Amino acid sequence: MNKILEEKDFIRRIEEISNQKVSDCYQCGRCTAGCPFAKFMDAPPNQVIRFIQLGLKDDVLAASAPWFCAACLVCQTRCPRGVDIPRLMEAVRMIHLRAKEGLFDVDKIDKEFLLDAPPLALMSAFSKYTY
Amino acid sequence: MELAYYPGCTLYTKAKSFNTSLHKSFEALGVKLNELPHWYCCGTTFGLAHDNRMSLIAPLRILAKAQKEDGRVIVPCSICYNTLKRANYMLKQDTDALEILNEHLEESYDGNEAVVHPLEFFRDNKELIKKHLKKDLKGIKLGCYYGCLLLRPEQEIQFDDPESPTIFEDFVSLIGATPIDFPFKVECCGSYLVVNSPDAAIDASYKVLKNAQANGAEAIITACPLCHYNLDALQKKIKIAHSEFNEIPIFYFSQVLAIALGVKEENLGLEQNKISPVNLLKEYKLL
Ligand code: SF4
Ligand code: SF4
């Protein structure tokens, strides 16, 4: 597939999974300003959205943001363009997870934590990090 | 009065204190909570992928069952509340989803079961609570922490204003304690990041706790077992990272309500609180 077609196809896939129109975002940065986990991300939420708009598949798939997004919905509440950013984050996560990358591995979780944690913490991790 | 009740998985295990203190509070108010027969997990966090709606089946099955019992169901856990309400909203908005999902349900369901949070019930029944208050909570300063899922997304949840809610503060005033409003009351505690990225959850919870303390809170109240875990259990790790940090007890709102209603100490579940509130409660002569 030529590059332009491949980029278009990638944007379309993200839009299908998220049911969002990525061109709605006008890059004001308000999502990033309020995101409690932006400081842990290698590229902040608005930049990841820019990568998606430009069809920069490799940059989107390398970004750590989808793994630090807690779906707290602060950005979704504040976005002046009505973009549901956590749905975009979930779409990127889904592309990884459906390709069996980044799947939740219980064996890697601290045993003491496993015994102590409330079931809904683990269930949430299962729902976010499996498909 | 009797009300249908959906506890969710965590109120049966790590948040027994939430379940017991809530039951006992309702009992003191003369309301019987009838647990739904054969309930199961709602699946926790609401699935956001538009092209896969499997995660909606669990919440919709619960609601279809609840509908047979009563037109409304009391749901105390913020995550369950959010997921059940969003599932209802989805059915109402999306006729395709309504049709597809109903093929998977044992009984047909159209999204009409009312999902009610105990705080909404208390807001609408102030006189009932006032009539039953037994202990004077005067002076104790409770930070009102909402977190994310009771508030957002706004148009689907319609619980309170997502940026400056007041339902918790009104509740604290109603039971005679002093509500503490603080800017971080609507910020995330770190949620499920505690599983895979604990540092992010420690950082987020630290900010919430510090901000509540800076505004005068002596304890914090919450409605979510995951917020409760992060704010309470992570304090041990927060202290290692920030030596200046002072511990602060975290209550479920139902625990302080139960105290105000004169519920016996053994039914408050205080032993499940990692940061013990016993000294604070003694200071205010509440134990
Ligand atoms: S707040 Fe909305 S419009 Fe602004 S950068 Fe973020 S997604 Fe784009
Ligand atoms: S939903 Fe995700 S991206 Fe948006 S503010 Fe919360 S953590 Fe950040």
Side-chain angles (χ1 to χ4, degrees), chain B residues 68-80:
Chain B
K68 290 210 299 203
E69 305 298 318
D70 195 357
R72 60 177 172 174
V73 58
I74 297 283
V75 181
C77 163
S78 300
I79 296 193
C80 303

Side-chain angles (χ1 to χ4, degrees), chain A residues 31 34-37 41 45 68-76 85-86 89:
Chain A
C31 49
C35 176
F37 306 105
M41 301 169 178
F68 282 108
C69 171
C72 76
L73 305 179
V74 160
C75 54
Q76 186 259 12
I85 298 109
M89 295 292 181

